[in-house]
Amino acid sequence: MSWAVRVIRNRYVDSVRLMQVAQVVRGHDGVSRAEVAMGTAANLAALGVECDATPTDVVIAVQGGGDGALDAAEA
């Protein structure tokens, strides 16, 4: 399965809200795993994905098969 990763630049979001968004994304068809976090080094290491993000960016990482994962990341 592949990861779809999207970085939203220069947008701070509270961690509780990010967890809520991740929960909703996990409910989409075709999604096996979804994580939404700020782009800190620790968070990126925990996600296990590589992307060009800074601590002021929001990172959305969705794993799944087919177009469902990519659609969930975009939504």
Side-chain angles (χ1 to χ4, degrees), residues 6-67:
R6 181 162 185 225
V7 176
I8 301 172
R9 302 268 177 224
N10 297 316
R11 167 146 316 149
Y12 172 79
V13 180
D14 180 74
S15 61
V16 172
R17 181 67 181 132
L18 293 176
M19 288 186 282
Q20 292 170 335
V21 170
Q23 184 76 20
V24 170
V25 174
R26 289 182 195 113
H28 284 268
D29 290 338
V31 174
S32 59
R33 185 175 170 203
E35 303 297 337
V36 184
M38 297 304 296
T40 65
N43 285 344
L44 293 177
L47 289 174
V49 297
E50 291 187 26
C51 64
D52 181 27
T54 70
T56 62
D57 301 333
V58 173
V59 177
I60 303 167
V62 180
Q63 185 180 49
D67 293 332

